[in-house]
Structures are given as C-alpha cells and as structure tokens.
C-alpha cells in the first residue's frame, strides 16, 4: 500500500453516499477528503498521506484512485480541489481562454506541460487559470460520473468575499500547507492573491511584511487571519506574532454544524479550509 490514513474522523451520518457531496483536495503528498450533506454540513473528514517513494514515482494518486474506485463511484458528485502553484487570477475584461496557456507560460515557464483548466469565480468577474498533471486530470475525471475540477483559489476567494472588511486597516489571510502558504490581501478590494513556498519561519514574515509595505498597510493595525496547517505554539506562529499585533485563527460561521469535540483534540483551523470551500461549491 502506497499510503496511510493520518485522520479519519466521522462528523455525522453519511449512510447514503448518493445524497452527499465528496470534496477531494489534491495535495503534493496526499489527499484531503470531506463529505458534506446537501446543506453543506461536514459528515466525514480524512487526511491521506502518500508514501515518499510513491510520490517520487508519481504513482501515489493513481494507485489510491484505483484502490478506491468502487467507493468513489458511490457519491452523488465529487468536487476535486487542485492546489497547484501554477495558477493565476485574470479579470474577465482581459481574459481569453485561448491564451490561458501562454499566460501561465509567461509567469511560470513552459517546462510543465500539463492540462490547463479554467474556473469562473462565482459572484465575481474573474477567472482562475491553472495547470495540473494530465495523468491526474484523467484519473480524477474517471473517478465518478459527476466530477468537477476547481482550483482552491476560486473557492477560497468566494469564501473570503463573504467576510467582513475594514478598508481603513486592511486584512490579510494566510492559508498554510506543508512548506507552502497562500496569501490574500485586501483593503476595499483584493490587492494580492498568491502562493509561496517557504522553508523557514522567517520566509513567511518576509513575504507578509513585504506585501504590507507594498500596499501601505501597517503591521500594527492590519488584521491577519491564519488558516490551515499552522500550530499556534510553533516557531512559525511566534515569528508572525513578533510583527503582527492583530493575529487570529479562522472561525467557521454558526451556520456550519461541526461538533468540535470530535476533532481528536486537534485545532479547529486544521480542518476549516476544505469546510469553507464546500460552502462555496
């Protein structure tokens, strides 16, 4: 077996998969799975970790899909959430689908010849263009009769659009994965949406402080909200706390029914990114 299960948490009754939606987030070294009911309340959460050797051979995802073929076919629909770093947000006024590949080539180079996909961000006149490995795209598309591919940018920005804003101080949102962070910054409108790879905590403070300086925001007043895979006791959190005065972790709205007691003593914000995205599908 080329994978192991790190979390497997039942959050509600999901005895009839045909009435549930499966969110499947594709990571570089694993998968996150979230089952939600028709009201988008979470029912099941799993974190699958791929073995390093399988990741290096680029066989881990295809192997997992093959092993779980029958289970994947049982859901009413699957939304695949891609995390690929080769992604860009393009205003509709200048977007032309036929030039998507060239735009990504210009920003990231043309060595990665994957499949180029496009999302229209719900409620906005913006498109997200992104690339995924072609073998992944076909294997994931065959996993269920109803599969939708989305980049997490298009779901995350829709979620963030619904949060309160204060143009006088601005807001920054950081979503953490292992060795990667997504950053969104706004005043009245969005000024930045980008992903960065990092290796030491100081990388994060450099990215954030540089962006705040670029947009004339003060670390003393800007509201910074953290989401995803960050421990509030870690050196990473303490590095940010040295510079940012208004630092908090994300909270789910009361409309999302989640029994926090079931989270195996783990922080709520470890699980929130995919739950947020499910509400935006």
């Amino acid at each position: 077996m080329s994978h192991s299960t790190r979390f497997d948490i039942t959050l509600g009754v999901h005895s009839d998969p045909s009435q549930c939606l499966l969110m499947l987030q594709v990571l570089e070294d694993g998968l996150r799975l979230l089952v939600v009911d028709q009201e988008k309340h979470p029912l099941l959460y799993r974190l699958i970790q791929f073995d390093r050797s399988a990741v290096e051979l680029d066989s881990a995802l295809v192997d997992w899909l093959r092993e779980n073929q029958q289970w994947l076919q049982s859901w009413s629909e699957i939304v695949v959430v891609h995390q690929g770093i080769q992604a860009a947000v393009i205003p509709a006024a200048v977007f032309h689908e036929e030039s998507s590949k060239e735009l990504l080539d210009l920003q990231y180079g043309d060595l990665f010849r994957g499949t180029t996909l496009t999302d229209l961000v719900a409620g906005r006149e913006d498109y997200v263009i992104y690339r995924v490995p072609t073998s992944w795209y076909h294997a994931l598309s065959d996993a269920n009769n109803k599969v939708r591919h989305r980049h997490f940018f298009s779901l995350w920005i829709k979620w963030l659009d619904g949060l309160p804003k204060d143009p006088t101080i601005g807001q920054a949102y950081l979503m953490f994965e292992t060795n990667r962070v997504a950053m969104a910054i706004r005043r009245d409108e969005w000024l930045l949406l980008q992903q960065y790879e990092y290796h030491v905590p100081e990388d994060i403070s450099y990215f954030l402080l540089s962006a705040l300086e670029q947009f004339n925001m003060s670390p003393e007043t800007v509201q910074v909200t953290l989401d995803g895979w960050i421990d509030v006791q870690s050196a990473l959190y303490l590095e940010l706390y040295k510079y940012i005065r208004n630092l908090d972790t994300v909270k789910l709205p009361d409309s999302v029914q989640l029994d926090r007691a079931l989270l195996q003593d783990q922080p709520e914000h470890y699980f929130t990114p995919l739950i947020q995205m499910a509400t935006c599908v």
Side-chain angles (χ1 to χ4, degrees):
M1 184 178 293
S2 59
H3 59 84
S4 57
T5 302
R6 187 167 179 180
F7 288 114
D8 188 350
I9 304 175
T10 298
L11 301 167
V13 178
H14 52 280
S15 56
D16 186 1
S18 66
Q19 300 300 311
C20 300
L21 169 70
L22 174 63
M23 303 284 295
L24 196 160
Q25 184 179 10
V26 183
L27 309 171
E28 289 185 343
D29 59 352
L31 295 167
R32 287 197 186 96
L33 293 86
L34 177 73
V35 174
V36 296
D37 62 19
Q38 295 180 353
E39 286 73 41
K40 305 299 176 60
H41 300 308
L43 304 176
L44 174 71
Y45 181 95
R46 285 181 185 164
L47 174 57
I48 308 297
Q49 192 82 39
F50 293 150
D51 293 345
R52 182 180 297 276
S53 59
V55 172
E56 292 172 351
L57 293 171
D58 199 26
S59 63
L61 175 62
V62 174
D63 288 347
W64 185 90
L65 291 169
R66 186 182 301 113
E67 291 173 21
N68 293 274
Q69 182 178 9
Q70 186 173 354
W71 183 77
L72 291 168
Q73 289 287 349
S74 65
W75 303 100
S76 67
E77 185 179 9
I78 297 178
V79 175
V80 177
V81 181
H82 294 282
Q83 199 82 17
I85 204 164
Q86 290 204 8
V89 181
I90 308 295
V94 297
F95 172 77
H96 300 284
E97 190 164 1
E98 61 273 12
S99 63
S100 296
K101 179 183 180 302
E102 286 72 21
L103 287 171
L104 292 175
D105 287 348
L106 183 64
Q107 185 169 351
Y108 298 103
D110 60 357
L111 295 180
F112 174 44
R113 299 182 180 278
T115 296
T116 302
L117 302 174
T118 302
D119 295 347
L120 174 62
V121 182
R124 302 182 61 86
E125 294 185 355
D126 294 314
Y127 288 87
V128 178
I129 56 174
Y130 56 103
R131 274 197 287 241
V132 300
T134 299
S135 60
W136 289 15
Y137 173 75
H138 288 302
L140 289 160
S141 297
D142 292 340
N144 187 285
N145 294 328
K146 293 183 66 178
V147 172
R148 280 190 281 167
H149 294 266
R150 303 296 299 273
H151 193 273
F152 91 97
F153 271 175
S154 62
L155 300 174
W156 191 40
I157 201 69
K158 178 171 170 41
W159 164 266
L160 294 177
D161 271 341
L163 300 181
K165 60 182 177 181
D166 184 348
T168 62
I169 61 172
Q171 297 84 45
Y173 302 91
L174 277 65
M175 182 186 291
F176 288 88
E177 298 289 353
T178 303
N179 298 326
R180 187 183 296 186
V181 63
M183 185 183 302
I185 295 180
R186 72 174 171 187
R187 280 191 184 276
D188 188 53
E189 296 295 338
W190 294 106
L191 302 171
L192 176 72
L193 183 63
Q194 188 59 272
Q195 290 190 86
Y196 304 95
E197 294 180 343
Y198 71 92
H199 302 283
V200 294
E202 289 78 9
D203 290 341
I204 300 295
S205 57
Y206 172 79
F207 294 142
L208 178 58
L209 293 174
S210 296
L212 295 179
E213 181 179 19
Q214 178 183 351
F215 300 120
N216 297 315
M217 293 183 182
S218 169
E220 298 287 333
T221 58
V222 66
Q223 178 64 52
V224 177
T225 303
L226 309 179
D227 202 354
W229 212 244
I230 179 171
D231 183 347
V232 297
Q233 303 298 324
S234 66
L236 179 55
Y237 182 89
L238 295 176
E239 171 69 16
L240 288 169
Y241 190 73
K242 288 194 301 186
Y243 303 101
I244 305 298
R245 292 295 163 260
N246 299 317
L247 194 62
D248 200 3
T249 55
V250 73
K251 301 292 188 299
L252 289 173
D254 294 336
S255 60
V256 175
Q257 297 176 7
L258 175 64
D259 186 349
R260 276 74 173 173
L262 298 174
L263 298 181
Q264 300 182 4
D265 297 324
Q266 300 297 323
E268 178 183 329
H269 64 269
Y270 282 5
F271 305 92
T272 49
L274 203 50
I275 297 175
Q276 297 164 13
M277 294 181 218
T279 67
C280 300
V281 172

